[in-house]
Amino acid sequence: MGAGEQVQAGPDYEVLTFTDPTTGIEYGALNPIGEEPYAGGAMLVSLGAKYADEYANAADEDAQTDAYYNMVDIVDLINLSRSMYTYFGTSF
């Protein structure tokens, strides 16, 4: 997603996404339609979307700073998960 890939979800799945408002990079994961995210990638993308929204709609600078650092932590975890998948060949 960050490199402009188009992801097509299979039957009964949806693509969850969020865009980092500070970099413009998009992150995504597959999730069963209508279910709360429970797989690691879907949970991280869902949290990233929450913090990106909080960052964009912050009422003051302190709230925006908190949302920013929470979002950065999520992006770091997504990148760590991606590198582990690359080395170990399994999803988490």
Side-chain angles (χ1 to χ4, degrees), residues 12-23:
D12 301 321
Y13 282 84
E14 63 184 337
V15 179
L16 302 179
T17 64
F18 88 93
T19 301
D20 181 334
T22 63
T23 64

Side-chain angles (χ1 to χ4, degrees), residues 10-82:
D12 301 321
Y13 282 84
E14 63 184 337
V15 179
L16 302 179
T17 64
F18 88 93
T19 301
D20 181 334
T22 63
T23 64
I25 297 173
E26 185 175 38
Y27 299 89
L30 296 173
N31 192 64
I33 293 173
E35 292 187 24
E36 289 293 317
Y38 61 87
M43 288 175 61
L44 289 171
V45 169
S46 180
L47 279 172
K50 174 184 179 257
Y51 294 133
D53 185 59
E54 287 179 7
Y55 176 85
N57 299 303
D60 58 41
E61 189 175 336
D62 287 340
Q64 188 176 47
T65 299
D66 288 345
Y68 171 77
Y69 284 109
N70 286 331
M71 186 179 59
V72 167
D73 287 345
I74 295 299
V75 167
D76 287 346
L77 288 171
I78 289 171
N79 290 329
L80 174 65
S81 297
R82 183 181 309 135

